[in-house]
Amino acid sequence: MDGLVRHVALTGRDITDLMYPEQQAIEEMISELTARKGIDPIQLAHKIQDTLPAKDLEGMQFGMGFFKADAPPLTSQERCKILENLLSQVSDHTANVRK
């Protein structure tokens, strides 16, 4: 037991809600991370301008390249494969450390 689960256990709290099977956690993380689209910088700039008070916007500038087009995003399948490989490496490393 390590990480957040261990911390919660050390504080005497119930860890039942945190005990996910590893494969389920991996699948949920991959699903969540591959479903997201990239950030639209123009929409972000408008949101910043709409949210902050005018006094906080005085002198605000966006850096060069802020509105530059990003590289084409990876497809959902490409992101999924990368995440599966990364999580597999982490899992293998964790298993080796515990030996």
Side-chain angles (χ1 to χ4, degrees), residues 10-74:
L10 288 173
T11 63
R13 292 178 283 170
D14 183 16
I15 61 171
T16 307
D17 291 338
L18 301 173
M19 298 298 295
Y20 273 78
E22 184 176 346
Q23 190 59 38
Q24 179 184 351
I26 289 171
E27 288 171 7
E28 287 180 15
M29 285 185 359
I30 289 173
S31 174
E32 179 66 25
L33 292 171
T34 56
R36 295 183 182 176
K37 302 283 186 212
I39 296 171
D40 178 356
I42 295 174
Q43 185 179 19
L44 176 61
H46 287 297
K47 185 69 174 173
I48 290 169
Q49 291 170 339
D50 292 344
T51 304
L52 294 177
K55 66 181 176 88
D56 291 342
L57 293 172
E58 290 177 21
M60 181 180 283
Q61 297 178 357
F62 292 99
M64 281 181 44
F66 185 78
F67 293 103
K68 184 177 77 174
D70 293 331
L74 297 173

